[in-house]
Amino acid sequence: MDPFADLFRGVRAQGSLFGSTTLTVPWSLRFVDGAPLTLCTVLEGAGWIVPHGRTPEHLAPWETLVVRGPAPFDFVDEVDTAAEPVECGEDCATPDQGGTVHRLGWHDPGPAGAGAATTLVVGAYPVRGEIGRRLLDALPDVLRVAPGGTAGAVRDLLAAEVAVDAPGQQVVLDRLLDWMLVCALREWFDRPGGEPPAWYAAHRDPVVGHALRLLHAEPAAPWTVAALADRAGVSRATLAKRFADLVGEPPLTYLTRWRMTLAADLLTERGTATIAEVARAVGYADAFGFSAAFTRVRGVSPSRFRGGPALTPSSARR
């Protein structure tokens, strides 16, 4: 497990495909689900993505945009379109309303012919928990991925799958959208002149990248800088300097912040778990030591973060 892969734990497409359809000019679709992260790609035709309060982005054939929410956004034929917005949520509008259809496997260009069709695929991602928020924090309001590359190969598979109606299609489409999101973000982070997060750029370093994978694979292990350096095959001083230079903080500071991110999700996902149980799950033998670390990093005690009673000696022993 590496830092990038770890951040996708709470990011999964689920029934999120808006199927192929004909959009007759003028059109205006307003996506109002409020998803924290939305992937949009045009398989044929073109249009404009207009995030509310942000700069419009043209979407040409085979291009992909990833839009941060939760603000709604429009997909229109032109920025100054005369069309009245049609709201699209879990079930999108029907064609006679000028919208699209949430129907899998439907690929009918209509009497206007295939050349007039605009096919939009949208994947809405809920991004659950503190782990997923770390991914959101690394992204701009809108990012663009050009045709081609690894994401382009996944787009080809999406285009083929949306044009058929077969058993298990929703599962296939959801997983293709997940695959495409990962490829799109990798291409955006790796673009020339890009400024990826430090934890992403550092994964290419043979020493620091290995150390990061160890910390994410075994976050509850009793790590010391010496133990981490030994596993990475370098001296303690070498690891400490290279890690701080590339990641921007010492290895154990990074580990503590990651443990507190994991703990924050455990506190909300496992409502019946005691503070002591959450502490042990992220590498702390003592509930009070964990509570002190959590409060220092998160600015609030674990009990208050979860909305429960304050930690006391008796509750820690339960």
Side-chain angles (χ1 to χ4, degrees):
M1 185 66 73
D2 61 74
F4 186 56
D6 240 349
L7 297 187
F8 280 89
R9 289 189 193 183
V11 181
R12 290 289 184 273
Q14 187 67 40
S16 56
L17 182 84
F18 288 88
S20 173
T21 187
T22 298
L23 293 171
T24 303
V25 175
W27 78 78
S28 177
L29 306 181
R30 177 161 296 167
F31 294 92
V32 294
D33 279 350
L37 195 66
T38 305
L39 180 146
C40 307
T41 189
V42 165
L43 301 183
E44 58 183 342
W48 290 81
I49 295 291
V50 185
H52 289 198
R54 288 173 272 181
T55 304
E57 299 275 355
H58 187 254
L59 194 55
W62 303 103
E63 282 190 321
T64 296
L65 293 180
V66 179
V67 184
R68 281 188 57 181
F73 65 91
D74 297 340
F75 180 61
V76 298
D77 60 307
E78 295 291 348
V79 174
D80 58 353
T81 184
E84 288 294 322
V86 175
E87 290 193 351
C88 296
E90 292 184 3
D91 297 307
C92 212
T94 55
D96 59 345
Q97 294 176 290
T100 186
V101 164
H102 191 160
R103 191 191 328 169
L104 303 177
W106 187 53
H107 188 85
D108 178 9
T118 293
T119 304
L120 175 70
V121 173
V122 175
Y125 295 87
V127 188
R128 300 179 181 90
E130 296 298 308
I131 294 174
R133 289 191 184 95
R134 288 192 73 186
L135 177 62
L136 289 179
D137 290 343
L139 304 178
D141 290 336
V142 179
L143 65 89
R144 177 186 299 274
V145 179
T150 308
V154 185
R155 274 189 292 262
D156 292 341
L157 294 174
L158 266 175
E161 186 65 25
V162 78
V164 301
D165 194 357
Q169 186 184 48
Q170 183 65 70
V171 175
V172 173
L173 292 170
D174 283 344
R175 298 294 73 80
L176 284 173
L177 285 167
D178 288 341
W179 184 10
M180 189 168 173
L181 178 64
V182 172
C183 291
L185 295 186
R186 282 195 310 205
E187 289 186 22
W188 189 78
F189 283 145
D190 291 336
R191 74 197 188 283
E195 297 181 0
W199 48 260
Y200 183 87
H203 86 280
R204 296 187 183 279
D205 184 85
V207 172
V208 178
H210 184 50
L212 283 168
R213 285 187 287 274
L214 288 171
L215 295 177
H216 280 259
E218 306 172 54
W223 290 113
T224 63
V225 176
L228 198 59
D230 183 64
R231 292 279 296 273
V234 296
S235 70
R236 182 182 182 279
T238 296
L239 175 65
K241 184 178 187 310
R242 288 176 70 165
F243 198 102
D245 287 346
L246 293 177
V247 181
E249 60 187 347
L252 298 189
T253 302
Y254 177 92
L255 174 61
T256 298
R257 288 199 308 107
W258 179 240
R259 283 173 167 175
M260 297 309 107
T261 299
L262 295 173
D265 280 352
L266 291 175
L267 287 166
T268 54
E269 292 171 1
R270 301 183 186 178
T272 59
T274 66
I275 302 298
E277 288 170 339
V278 173
R280 287 192 295 270
V282 296
Y284 286 79
D286 178 77
F288 283 95
F290 161 71
S291 182
F294 190 93
T295 303
R296 183 177 67 253
V297 173
R298 308 288 303 191
V300 63
S301 71
S303 297
R304 289 190 179 278
F305 179 86
R306 186 162 61 180
L311 181 65
T312 65
S314 60
S315 65
R317 289 193 296 267
R318 286 187 196 132

